[in-house]
mmCIF file of all heavy atoms in Angstrom:
data_model
loop_
_atom_site.group_PDB
_atom_site.id
_atom_site.type_symbol
_atom_site.label_atom_id
_atom_site.label_comp_id
_atom_site.label_asym_id
_atom_site.label_seq_id
_atom_site.Cartn_x
_atom_site.Cartn_y
_atom_site.Cartn_z
ATOM 1 N N MET I 99 11.228 0.070 -9.220
ATOM 2 C CA MET I 99 11.516 1.227 -8.351
ATOM 3 C C MET I 99 12.790 1.967 -8.749
ATOM 4 O O MET I 99 13.036 3.064 -8.293
ATOM 5 C CB MET I 99 11.613 0.802 -6.889
ATOM 6 C CG MET I 99 10.295 0.589 -6.191
ATOM 7 S SD MET I 99 8.965 1.740 -6.591
ATOM 8 C CE MET I 99 9.625 3.334 -6.160
ATOM 9 N N GLU I 100 13.606 1.325 -9.570
ATOM 10 C CA GLU I 100 14.864 1.992 -9.963
ATOM 11 C C GLU I 100 14.650 2.959 -11.123
ATOM 12 O O GLU I 100 15.471 3.818 -11.391
ATOM 13 C CB GLU I 100 15.897 0.943 -10.377
ATOM 14 C CG GLU I 100 16.329 0.087 -9.218
ATOM 15 C CD GLU I 100 17.549 -0.744 -9.569
ATOM 16 O OE1 GLU I 100 18.391 -0.256 -10.334
ATOM 17 O OE2 GLU I 100 17.636 -1.889 -9.069
ATOM 18 N N GLU I 101 13.523 2.776 -11.824
ATOM 19 C CA GLU I 101 13.291 3.583 -13.017
ATOM 20 C C GLU I 101 12.519 4.849 -12.667
ATOM 21 O O GLU I 101 11.622 4.812 -11.841
ATOM 22 C CB GLU I 101 12.475 2.768 -14.033
ATOM 23 C CG GLU I 101 13.211 1.562 -14.547
ATOM 24 C CD GLU I 101 12.271 0.438 -14.971
ATOM 25 O OE1 GLU I 101 11.066 0.695 -15.133
ATOM 26 O OE2 GLU I 101 12.761 -0.688 -15.104
ATOM 27 N N ALA I 102 12.853 5.934 -13.326
ATOM 28 C CA ALA I 102 12.041 7.139 -13.187
ATOM 29 C C ALA I 102 10.695 6.804 -13.829
ATOM 30 O O ALA I 102 10.643 6.315 -14.939
ATOM 31 C CB ALA I 102 12.698 8.293 -13.918
ATOM 32 N N ASP I 103 9.646 7.017 -13.096
ATOM 33 C CA ASP I 103 8.365 6.476 -13.530
ATOM 34 C C ASP I 103 7.334 7.583 -13.713
ATOM 35 O O ASP I 103 6.858 8.164 -12.768
ATOM 36 C CB ASP I 103 7.875 5.475 -12.493
ATOM 37 C CG ASP I 103 6.754 4.629 -13.044
ATOM 38 O OD1 ASP I 103 6.120 5.050 -14.031
ATOM 39 O OD2 ASP I 103 6.515 3.553 -12.493
ATOM 40 N N ASN I 104 7.006 7.822 -14.957
ATOM 41 C CA ASN I 104 6.022 8.875 -15.252
ATOM 42 C C ASN I 104 4.685 8.292 -15.670
ATOM 43 O O ASN I 104 3.836 8.977 -16.201
ATOM 44 C CB ASN I 104 6.530 9.773 -16.384
ATOM 45 C CG ASN I 104 7.629 10.668 -15.893
ATOM 46 O OD1 ASN I 104 7.456 11.382 -14.918
ATOM 47 N ND2 ASN I 104 8.770 10.600 -16.534
ATOM 48 N N ARG I 105 4.520 6.996 -15.454
ATOM 49 C CA ARG I 105 3.334 6.336 -15.980
ATOM 50 C C ARG I 105 2.035 6.878 -15.386
ATOM 51 O O ARG I 105 1.002 6.759 -15.985
ATOM 52 C CB ARG I 105 3.387 4.843 -15.669
ATOM 53 C CG ARG I 105 4.267 4.063 -16.600
ATOM 54 C CD ARG I 105 4.178 2.595 -16.259
ATOM 55 N NE ARG I 105 4.483 2.374 -14.846
ATOM 56 C CZ ARG I 105 4.109 1.293 -14.182
ATOM 57 N NH1 ARG I 105 3.411 0.356 -14.751
ATOM 58 N NH2 ARG I 105 4.431 1.151 -12.917
ATOM 59 N N PHE I 106 2.119 7.431 -14.190
ATOM 60 C CA PHE I 106 0.886 7.750 -13.497
ATOM 61 C C PHE I 106 0.524 9.215 -13.615
ATOM 62 O O PHE I 106 1.356 10.095 -13.507
ATOM 63 C CB PHE I 106 1.001 7.363 -12.024
ATOM 64 C CG PHE I 106 1.394 5.931 -11.859
ATOM 65 C CD1 PHE I 106 2.657 5.601 -11.439
ATOM 66 C CD2 PHE I 106 0.496 4.926 -12.174
ATOM 67 C CE1 PHE I 106 3.033 4.261 -11.316
ATOM 68 C CE2 PHE I 106 0.861 3.589 -12.044
ATOM 69 C CZ PHE I 106 2.134 3.262 -11.610
ATOM 70 N N SER I 107 -0.752 9.422 -13.826
ATOM 71 C CA SER I 107 -1.267 10.782 -13.817
ATOM 72 C C SER I 107 -2.373 10.825 -12.787
ATOM 73 O O SER I 107 -3.039 9.824 -12.523
ATOM 74 C CB SER I 107 -1.830 11.131 -15.200
ATOM 75 O OG SER I 107 -2.630 12.289 -15.109
ATOM 76 N N LEU I 108 -2.570 11.962 -12.197
ATOM 77 C CA LEU I 108 -3.667 12.116 -11.230
ATOM 78 C C LEU I 108 -5.005 12.276 -11.944
ATOM 79 O O LEU I 108 -6.050 12.210 -11.327
ATOM 80 C CB LEU I 108 -3.417 13.330 -10.339
ATOM 81 C CG LEU I 108 -2.173 13.272 -9.438
ATOM 82 C CD1 LEU I 108 -2.033 14.585 -8.655
ATOM 83 C CD2 LEU I 108 -2.250 12.104 -8.467
ATOM 84 N N TYR I 109 -4.951 12.518 -13.247
ATOM 85 C CA TYR I 109 -6.175 12.857 -13.992
ATOM 86 C C TYR I 109 -6.760 11.655 -14.724
ATOM 87 O O TYR I 109 -6.052 10.898 -15.379
ATOM 88 C CB TYR I 109 -5.886 13.987 -14.982
ATOM 89 C CG TYR I 109 -5.686 15.295 -14.285
ATOM 90 C CD1 TYR I 109 -4.436 15.684 -13.827
ATOM 91 C CD2 TYR I 109 -6.781 16.121 -14.028
ATOM 92 C CE1 TYR I 109 -4.269 16.878 -13.149
ATOM 93 C CE2 TYR I 109 -6.625 17.326 -13.354
ATOM 94 C CZ TYR I 109 -5.365 17.696 -12.912
ATOM 95 O OH TYR I 109 -5.198 18.877 -12.236
ATOM 96 N N ARG I 110 -8.068 11.551 -14.608
ATOM 97 C CA ARG I 110 -8.775 10.451 -15.255
ATOM 98 C C ARG I 110 -8.568 10.461 -16.763
ATOM 99 O O ARG I 110 -8.392 9.418 -17.389
ATOM 100 C CB ARG I 110 -10.279 10.542 -14.949
ATOM 101 C CG ARG I 110 -11.037 9.344 -15.403
ATOM 102 C CD ARG I 110 -12.532 9.546 -15.280
ATOM 103 N NE ARG I 110 -13.237 8.264 -15.342
ATOM 104 C CZ ARG I 110 -13.356 7.517 -16.430
ATOM 105 N NH1 ARG I 110 -12.839 7.916 -17.579
ATOM 106 N NH2 ARG I 110 -13.987 6.368 -16.393
ATOM 107 N N GLU I 111 -8.572 11.665 -17.328
ATOM 108 C CA GLU I 111 -8.488 11.770 -18.790
ATOM 109 C C GLU I 111 -7.160 11.221 -19.333
ATOM 110 O O GLU I 111 -7.071 10.881 -20.510
ATOM 111 C CB GLU I 111 -8.665 13.233 -19.231
ATOM 112 C CG GLU I 111 -7.539 14.131 -18.780
ATOM 113 C CD GLU I 111 -7.913 15.613 -18.803
ATOM 114 O OE1 GLU I 111 -9.103 15.921 -18.792
ATOM 115 O OE2 GLU I 111 -6.985 16.430 -18.810
ATOM 116 N N ASP I 112 -6.147 11.118 -18.471
ATOM 117 C CA ASP I 112 -4.851 10.582 -18.903
ATOM 118 C C ASP I 112 -4.753 9.075 -18.698
ATOM 119 O O ASP I 112 -3.761 8.453 -19.081
ATOM 120 C CB ASP I 112 -3.702 11.240 -18.124
ATOM 121 C CG ASP I 112 -3.662 12.746 -18.347
ATOM 122 O OD1 ASP I 112 -4.104 13.182 -19.418
ATOM 123 O OD2 ASP I 112 -3.199 13.459 -17.436
ATOM 124 N N THR I 113 -5.750 8.512 -18.032
ATOM 125 C CA THR I 113 -5.701 7.080 -17.727
ATOM 126 C C THR I 113 -6.085 6.282 -18.976
ATOM 127 O O THR I 113 -7.026 6.639 -19.677
ATOM 128 C CB THR I 113 -6.677 6.747 -16.572
ATOM 129 O OG1 THR I 113 -6.367 7.612 -15.477
ATOM 130 C CG2 THR I 113 -6.550 5.307 -16.111
ATOM 131 N N ASP I 114 -5.339 5.240 -19.209
ATOM 132 C CA ASP I 114 -5.629 4.343 -20.328
ATOM 133 C C ASP I 114 -7.078 3.860 -20.204
ATOM 134 O O ASP I 114 -7.477 3.348 -19.163
ATOM 135 C CB ASP I 114 -4.647 3.163 -20.258
ATOM 136 C CG ASP I 114 -4.983 2.086 -21.271
ATOM 137 O OD1 ASP I 114 -5.104 2.432 -22.456
ATOM 138 O OD2 ASP I 114 -5.145 0.923 -20.876
ATOM 139 N N PRO I 115 -7.904 4.054 -21.273
ATOM 140 C CA PRO I 115 -9.335 3.721 -21.172
ATOM 141 C C PRO I 115 -9.597 2.267 -20.767
ATOM 142 O O PRO I 115 -10.519 1.987 -20.013
ATOM 143 C CB PRO I 115 -9.857 3.985 -22.586
ATOM 144 C CG PRO I 115 -8.859 4.858 -23.242
ATOM 145 C CD PRO I 115 -7.539 4.605 -22.588
ATOM 146 N N GLU I 116 -8.742 1.358 -21.223
ATOM 147 C CA GLU I 116 -8.927 -0.052 -20.856
ATOM 148 C C GLU I 116 -8.689 -0.279 -19.378
ATOM 149 O O GLU I 116 -9.395 -1.035 -18.707
ATOM 150 C CB GLU I 116 -7.964 -0.932 -21.659
ATOM 151 C CG GLU I 116 -8.646 -1.633 -22.823
ATOM 152 C CD GLU I 116 -7.675 -2.472 -23.612
ATOM 153 O OE1 GLU I 116 -7.103 -3.413 -23.040
ATOM 154 O OE2 GLU I 116 -7.491 -2.157 -24.800
ATOM 155 N N LEU I 117 -7.646 0.400 -18.875
ATOM 156 C CA LEU I 117 -7.339 0.290 -17.448
ATOM 157 C C LEU I 117 -8.476 0.900 -16.618
ATOM 158 O O LEU I 117 -8.912 0.323 -15.618
ATOM 159 C CB LEU I 117 -6.011 0.998 -17.142
ATOM 160 C CG LEU I 117 -5.568 1.025 -15.674
ATOM 161 C CD1 LEU I 117 -5.325 -0.396 -15.148
ATOM 162 C CD2 LEU I 117 -4.306 1.868 -15.494
ATOM 163 N N ALA I 118 -8.961 2.055 -17.074
ATOM 164 C CA ALA I 118 -10.062 2.721 -16.375
ATOM 165 C C ALA I 118 -11.292 1.813 -16.324
ATOM 166 O O ALA I 118 -11.941 1.678 -15.288
ATOM 167 C CB ALA I 118 -10.387 4.045 -17.045
ATOM 168 N N LYS I 119 -11.564 1.164 -17.431
ATOM 169 C CA LYS I 119 -12.727 0.277 -17.492
ATOM 170 C C LYS I 119 -12.564 -0.900 -16.535
ATOM 171 O O LYS I 119 -13.488 -1.279 -15.820
ATOM 172 C CB LYS I 119 -12.921 -0.226 -18.933
ATOM 173 C CG LYS I 119 -14.202 -1.032 -19.100
ATOM 174 C CD LYS I 119 -14.426 -1.490 -20.531
ATOM 175 C CE LYS I 119 -15.710 -2.291 -20.702
ATOM 176 N NZ LYS I 119 -15.975 -3.354 -19.748
ATOM 177 N N CYS I 120 -11.391 -1.447 -16.522
ATOM 178 C CA CYS I 120 -11.098 -2.587 -15.647
ATOM 179 C C CYS I 120 -11.272 -2.199 -14.175
ATOM 180 O O CYS I 120 -11.849 -2.942 -13.387
ATOM 181 C CB CYS I 120 -9.693 -3.080 -15.967
ATOM 182 S SG CYS I 120 -8.753 -3.704 -14.635
ATOM 183 N N ILE I 121 -10.834 -1.005 -13.817
ATOM 184 C CA ILE I 121 -10.981 -0.533 -12.429
ATOM 185 C C ILE I 121 -12.458 -0.300 -12.113
ATOM 186 O O ILE I 121 -12.950 -0.690 -11.051
ATOM 187 C CB ILE I 121 -10.128 0.737 -12.212
ATOM 188 C CG1 ILE I 121 -8.634 0.396 -12.291
ATOM 189 C CG2 ILE I 121 -10.461 1.391 -10.869
ATOM 190 C CD1 ILE I 121 -7.708 1.591 -12.328
ATOM 191 N N GLU I 122 -13.179 0.294 -13.071
ATOM 192 C CA GLU I 122 -14.608 0.569 -12.849
ATOM 193 C C GLU I 122 -15.423 -0.723 -12.812
ATOM 194 O O GLU I 122 -16.337 -0.863 -11.994
ATOM 195 C CB GLU I 122 -15.121 1.541 -13.917
ATOM 196 C CG GLU I 122 -14.640 2.946 -13.630
ATOM 197 C CD GLU I 122 -14.916 3.962 -14.739
ATOM 198 O OE1 GLU I 122 -15.170 3.533 -15.886
ATOM 199 O OE2 GLU I 122 -14.854 5.154 -14.443
ATOM 200 N N ASP I 123 -15.073 -1.674 -13.661
ATOM 201 C CA ASP I 123 -15.764 -2.970 -13.640
ATOM 202 C C ASP I 123 -15.559 -3.690 -12.308
ATOM 203 O O ASP I 123 -16.380 -4.515 -11.909
ATOM 204 C CB ASP I 123 -15.266 -3.874 -14.782
ATOM 205 C CG ASP I 123 -15.784 -3.400 -16.144
ATOM 206 O OD1 ASP I 123 -16.657 -2.511 -16.168
ATOM 207 O OD2 ASP I 123 -15.287 -3.909 -17.182
ATOM 208 N N SER I 124 -14.457 -3.383 -11.649
ATOM 209 C CA SER I 124 -14.187 -4.015 -10.347
ATOM 210 C C SER I 124 -15.003 -3.385 -9.226
ATOM 211 O O SER I 124 -14.993 -3.869 -8.099
ATOM 212 C CB SER I 124 -12.703 -3.930 -10.016
ATOM 213 O OG SER I 124 -11.929 -4.524 -11.031
ATOM 214 N N GLY I 125 -15.657 -2.267 -9.513
ATOM 215 C CA GLY I 125 -16.537 -1.666 -8.501
ATOM 216 C C GLY I 125 -16.118 -0.288 -8.015
ATOM 217 O O GLY I 125 -16.636 0.198 -7.012
ATOM 218 N N TYR I 126 -15.175 0.330 -8.695
ATOM 219 C CA TYR I 126 -14.717 1.662 -8.278
ATOM 220 C C TYR I 126 -15.243 2.735 -9.217
ATOM 221 O O TYR I 126 -15.576 2.463 -10.360
ATOM 222 C CB TYR I 126 -13.191 1.733 -8.278
ATOM 223 C CG TYR I 126 -12.551 0.883 -7.228
ATOM 224 C CD1 TYR I 126 -12.091 -0.388 -7.531
ATOM 225 C CD2 TYR I 126 -12.419 1.345 -5.928
ATOM 226 C CE1 TYR I 126 -11.510 -1.194 -6.555
ATOM 227 C CE2 TYR I 126 -11.839 0.549 -4.951
ATOM 228 C CZ TYR I 126 -11.392 -0.706 -5.271
ATOM 229 O OH TYR I 126 -10.824 -1.487 -4.309
ATOM 230 N N GLN I 127 -15.274 3.949 -8.681
ATOM 231 C CA GLN I 127 -15.502 5.103 -9.534
ATOM 232 C C GLN I 127 -14.185 5.844 -9.633
ATOM 233 O O GLN I 127 -13.477 5.970 -8.628
ATOM 234 C CB GLN I 127 -16.532 6.029 -8.890
ATOM 235 C CG GLN I 127 -17.946 5.536 -9.050
ATOM 236 C CD GLN I 127 -18.946 6.572 -8.605
ATOM 237 O OE1 GLN I 127 -18.619 7.443 -7.793
ATOM 238 N NE2 GLN I 127 -20.147 6.498 -9.113
#
Side-chain angles (χ1 to χ4, degrees):
M99 281 321 301
E100 294 192 34
E101 295 152 15
D103 195 340
N104 286 306
R105 281 183 305 159
F106 305 107
S107 165
L108 297 178
Y109 288 88
R110 189 189 197 289
E111 66 199 20
D112 299 332
T113 307
D114 173 53
E116 258 179 62
L117 177 63
K119 186 178 180 313
C120 146
I121 292 170
E122 285 171 342
D123 287 350
S124 303
Y126 292 96
Q127 282 189 336

